């Protein structure tokens, strides 16, 4: 890596940490109450919907969450099928196929935002706004609500409830996501991101294009309400693009400033939730420890991707390409990247979006060097805990923290304990279930796809590259990331249904155990800080030693689970490239 790249990375990490501190303070306040004097609005809205704000146990919380998301998926599915009959469809788009509509509905409700279609040629303005953008808000609010419930589980002592799902979703949407999205949308629009309800615009080319079919003198430009969707797409770690090219499209990401704003927006809430966690449990050091562990993993991933992309293809050097450049090639690997961003900003974006369960891309991940693509894969396969999605990143990392504490307790003979709560088999069962759900979905789904004719029919490449395409798709779906490796023709009944199932189970088969864990922890008596800080207490969970243990636990689980699959894909590609 060059000095410029290290400076870019250091500046970005510093900016994320600076944003996390004040945002964490706001998030911590929202865990228990609405901001004054706005609580009256929240209460009026809940009463108008006929919802009680009474405390719920974990079963009631989980039931409300599942019902709410099922209703959202059904509404989005029907909206897509009725699209030709509804207004704000200036392009007169037809309804997508049933399997594509099902995949999209599940995708946006689960905060995955995997897209097997081209947005600007498939979805009307109404579907984009009323369907996709609304679910961008609600799926993000759902993830944050689960994180709030788990925070309460750690903070409360001998309590029966973990909050109220309806109150949490309304509070998060009204007082967090909406205000931040409005501000970010205005910033994007000021930088040139389009925002209109126009039909597609046909413009004359400055230089006519001569093709075998004749002279092409015009181009059709997609129009629509992009800035408003772009804001919550990033803040909510949703990632679904209005345009097929996503954040590589100049109408979604026109300048270097919008590129930086988008990356910061992706990490803002996940980092802020770490700070909020420390405040809610009464020990800010705990939040810093989680944030430090995430940062260590992220910096290591970025270092590998940046180094590989700057080095470029070694075959070019052997052929004498770019002989005037250094051994690292001045141009590096520019395939699939926008010239206006270059290698450094594109590689950083690739790490940010796969680390944070966002899935937005400003470069084509299939064009990454094999090890770069492998690191992007691994960031998802670790469970999206390296900052991760809004809410899901925090509760995912807390699962690993409990696992690390439990293993360390067994190894040292100490009683496993975290934040004054004894960690027993009752707590570890939902932890293990939640951690193992996504690897099962990824590996089993990949095996079925590469072993069936319907799955292999979608491959663009053969061998290791083709296997990586499928492995990436199921890793992205089951871990609710949404980015694509490209090359795979996924808009088929087989992949639409298989990936929809992976997305649904990857989301809710993790959330339910997490809520069960929150309920169990809330019912435990929490020891005082004086007791937990004493010499006879369990392993301290706020220092460098715990950060190292947590990082090693995350890597060990990921390596043991996915190394054989990664060896068949990106590692084989890398060996073939350098030999």
């Amino acid at each position: 890596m060059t000095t410029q790249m290290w400076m870019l990375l250091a500046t970005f990490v510093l900016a994320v940490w600076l944003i996390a501190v004040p945002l964490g303070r706001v998030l911590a306040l929202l865990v228990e109450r609405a901001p004054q004097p706005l609580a009256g609005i929240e209460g009026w809205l809940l009463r108008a919907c006929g919802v009680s704000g009474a405390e719920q146990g974990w079963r009631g919380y989980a039931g409300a969450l599942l019902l709410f998301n099922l209703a959202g998926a059904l509404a989005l599915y029907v909206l897509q099928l009725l699209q030709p009959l509804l207004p704000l469809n200036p392009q007169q788009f037809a309804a997508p196929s049933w399997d594509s509509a099902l995949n999209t509905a599940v995708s946006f409700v689960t905060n995955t935002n995997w897209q097997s279609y081209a947005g600007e040629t498939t979805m009307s303005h109404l579907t984009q706004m009323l369907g996709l953008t609304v679910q961008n808000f609600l799926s993000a609010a759902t993830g944050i609500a689960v994180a709030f419930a788990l925070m309460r589980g750690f903070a409360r002592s001998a309590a029966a409830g973990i909050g109220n799902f309806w109150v949490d979703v309304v509070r998060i949407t009204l007082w967090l996501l909406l205000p931040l999205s409005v501000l970010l949308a205005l910033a994007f629009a000021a930088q040139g991101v389009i925002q209109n309800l126009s039909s597609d615009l046909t413009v004359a080319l400055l230089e006519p294009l001569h093709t075998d079919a004749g002279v092409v003198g015009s181009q059709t430009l997609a129009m629509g309400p992009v800035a408003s969707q772009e804001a919550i797409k990033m803040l909510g770690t949703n990632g679904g693009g209005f345009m097929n090219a996503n954040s590589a499209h100049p109408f979604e990401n026109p300048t270097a400033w919008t590129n930086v704003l988008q990356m910061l927006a992706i990490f803002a809430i996940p980092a802020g939730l770490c700070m909020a966690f420390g405040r809610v449990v009464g020990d800010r050091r705990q939040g810093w420890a989680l944030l430090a562990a995430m940062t260590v993993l992220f910096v290591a991933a970025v270092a590998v991707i940046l180094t590989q992309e700057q080095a470029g293809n070694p075959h070019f050097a052997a052929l004498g390409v770019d002989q005037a450049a250094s051994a690292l090639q001045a141009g590096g690997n520019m395939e699939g990247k926008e010239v206006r961003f270059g290698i450094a900003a594109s590689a950083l974006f690739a790490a940010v979006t796969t680390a944070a369960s966002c899935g937005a891309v400003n470069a084509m991940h299939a064009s990454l060097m094999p090890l770069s693509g492998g690191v992007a894969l691994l960031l998802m396969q670790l469970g999206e805990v390296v900052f991760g999605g809004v809410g899901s990143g925090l509760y995912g990392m807390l699962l690993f923290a409990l696992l690390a504490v439990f293993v360390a307790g067994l190894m040292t003979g100490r009683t496993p304990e975290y934040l004054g709560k004894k960690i027993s088999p009752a707590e570890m069962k939902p932890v293990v279930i939640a951690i193992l759900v996504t690897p099962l979905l990824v590996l089993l789904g990949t095996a079925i796809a590469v072993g069936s004719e319907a799955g292999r029919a979608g491959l663009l490449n053969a061998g290791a590259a083709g296997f990586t395409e499928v492995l990436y798709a199921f890793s992205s779906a089951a871990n609710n990331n949404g980015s694509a490796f490209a090359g795979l023709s996924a808009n088929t009944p087989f992949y639409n249904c298989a990936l929809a199932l992976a997305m649904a189970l990857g989301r809710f088969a993790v959330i339910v155990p997490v809520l069960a864990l929150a309920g169990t922890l809330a019912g435990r008596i929490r020891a005082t800080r004086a007791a937990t800080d004493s010499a006879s207490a369990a392993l301290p969970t706020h220092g460098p030693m715990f950060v190292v243990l947590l990082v090693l636990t995350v890597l060990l689980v990921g390596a043991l689970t996915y190394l054989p699959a990664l060896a068949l894909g990106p590692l084989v590609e890398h060996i073939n490239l350098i030999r």
Side-chain angles (χ1 to χ4, degrees):
M1 288 175 60
T2 64
T3 302
Q4 181 183 8
M5 289 180 173
W6 279 117
M7 290 179 62
L8 173 64
L9 177 57
T11 303
F12 177 76
V13 170
L14 178 61
V16 170
W17 282 37
L18 291 175
I19 292 171
V21 174
L23 187 56
R25 187 179 299 112
V26 173
L27 286 163
L29 292 174
L30 292 178
V31 171
E32 295 299 343
R33 64 180 187 273
Q36 298 296 334
L38 303 175
I41 300 175
E42 179 183 295
W44 174 85
L45 184 58
L46 290 170
R47 288 192 297 272
C49 295
V51 173
S52 169
E55 284 278 320
Q56 295 174 315
W58 79 263
R59 290 181 178 85
Y61 201 102
L65 184 150
L66 294 174
L67 179 64
F68 178 72
N69 282 273
L70 177 60
L74 290 174
L76 181 53
Y77 180 73
V78 171
L79 178 63
Q80 293 176 80
L81 296 183
L82 295 180
Q83 177 176 273
L85 306 177
L86 298 174
L88 291 177
N89 186 9
Q91 297 89 349
Q92 297 298 306
F93 289 144
S97 63
W98 70 267
D99 53 292
S100 178
L102 173 66
N103 182 279
T104 302
V106 174
S107 178
F108 277 78
V109 167
T110 58
N111 199 243
T112 309
N113 300 75
W114 168 276
Q115 294 173 288
S116 59
Y117 61 90
E120 68 268 46
T121 61
T122 306
M123 300 298 180
S124 69
H125 295 341
L126 183 67
T127 304
Q128 294 271 18
M129 293 187 295
L130 185 61
L132 306 186
T133 304
V134 167
Q135 284 305 320
N136 282 349
F137 279 97
L138 299 181
S139 65
T142 297
I144 299 172
V146 176
F148 280 9
L150 187 55
M151 288 186 204
R152 297 185 188 112
F154 281 110
R156 294 178 178 180
S157 182
I162 58 173
N164 183 289
F165 173 74
W166 307 109
V167 172
D168 285 341
V169 167
V170 169
R171 183 177 298 163
I172 292 163
T173 303
L174 284 181
W175 315 130
L176 176 69
L177 297 178
L178 273 172
L180 291 179
S181 295
V182 169
L183 293 175
L184 192 59
L186 292 174
F188 284 156
Q191 284 291 309
V193 179
I194 65 172
Q195 179 74 15
N196 56 59
L197 296 176
S198 305
S199 58
D200 291 349
L201 182 65
T202 300
V203 297
L205 296 176
L206 295 177
E207 296 182 5
L209 180 64
H210 296 271
T211 67
D212 293 338
V215 178
V216 178
S218 63
Q219 179 181 2
T220 300
L221 303 178
M223 297 283 109
V226 176
S228 55
Q229 182 168 319
E230 195 72 19
I232 188 58
K233 157 190 164 181
M234 296 304 182
L235 281 169
T237 62
N238 295 284
F242 191 99
M243 309 291 183
N244 188 41
N246 208 286
S247 288
H249 198 291
F251 285 178
E252 286 198 33
N253 191 10
T255 69
W257 285 111
T258 58
N259 196 59
V260 171
L261 283 175
Q262 289 185 14
M263 289 190 288
L264 290 175
I266 292 171
F267 270 8
I269 296 177
L273 282 169
C274 292
M275 298 291 95
F277 175 74
R279 287 179 172 274
V280 171
V281 300
D283 186 353
R284 298 182 191 179
R285 298 173 299 176
Q286 304 295 335
W288 282 110
L290 295 178
L291 186 60
M294 293 179 179
T295 303
V296 168
L297 289 166
F298 174 70
V299 170
V302 174
V304 174
I305 295 177
L306 281 173
T307 301
Q308 288 295 306
E309 295 307 300
Q310 184 60 60
N313 191 328
H315 290 209
F316 288 170
L319 294 172
V321 177
D322 199 11
Q323 292 180 349
S326 67
L328 291 179
Q329 297 175 228
N333 177 33
M334 278 297 295
E335 179 188 339
K337 297 178 178 62
E338 289 291 304
V339 176
R340 67 184 188 276
F341 301 137
I343 291 175
S346 299
L348 180 59
F349 201 111
V352 169
T353 194
T354 49
S357 183
C358 180
V361 295
N362 75 345
M364 297 300 103
H365 287 194
S367 295
L368 295 173
M369 300 300 294
L371 283 188
S372 300
V375 170
L377 257 173
L378 187 60
L379 284 171
M380 296 186 293
Q381 292 168 344
L382 292 178
E384 293 290 12
V385 297
V386 185
F387 291 94
V390 286
S392 62
L394 175 64
Y395 65 69
M397 185 59 89
L398 286 173
L399 295 177
F400 280 105
L402 291 175
L403 180 61
V405 167
F406 189 77
V407 172
L410 295 178
M411 293 175 64
T412 61
R414 295 181 175 184
T415 302
E417 183 179 301
Y418 189 59
L419 301 178
K421 299 290 181 82
K422 302 294 185 182
I423 308 303
S424 68
E427 285 79 23
M428 290 311 299
K429 288 177 183 177
V431 168
V432 172
I433 291 172
I435 290 177
L436 293 181
V437 163
T438 49
L440 178 64
L441 293 170
V442 171
L443 298 177
L444 185 59
T446 301
I448 293 174
V450 298
S452 63
E453 291 186 9
R456 292 193 300 272
L459 298 179
L460 175 66
N461 297 291
F467 179 81
T468 303
E469 292 172 5
V470 179
L471 179 63
Y472 196 104
F474 280 93
S475 298
S476 178
N479 290 283
N480 302 131
N481 182 271
S483 64
F485 204 64
L488 184 69
S489 297
N491 197 6
T492 64
F494 172 82
Y495 278 111
N496 279 331
C497 293
L499 294 175
L501 180 62
M503 287 184 283
L505 292 177
R507 178 73 162 179
F508 301 113
V510 173
I511 282 179
V512 172
V514 168
L515 291 175
L517 174 64
T520 303
L521 289 171
R524 298 284 188 193
I525 296 176
R526 186 182 183 191
T528 62
R529 180 179 297 183
T532 58
D533 286 344
S534 67
S536 61
L539 175 72
T541 56
H542 51 71
M545 182 179 295
F546 179 71
V547 172
V548 172
L549 177 62
L550 182 54
V551 169
L552 291 178
T553 301
V554 172
L555 291 176
L556 186 62
V557 171
L560 289 177
T561 305
Y562 290 107
L563 184 57
L566 292 171
L568 294 175
L571 293 181
V572 169
E573 285 189 84
H574 178 70
I575 293 171
N576 289 336
L577 189 68
I578 63 176
R579 68 178 182 178

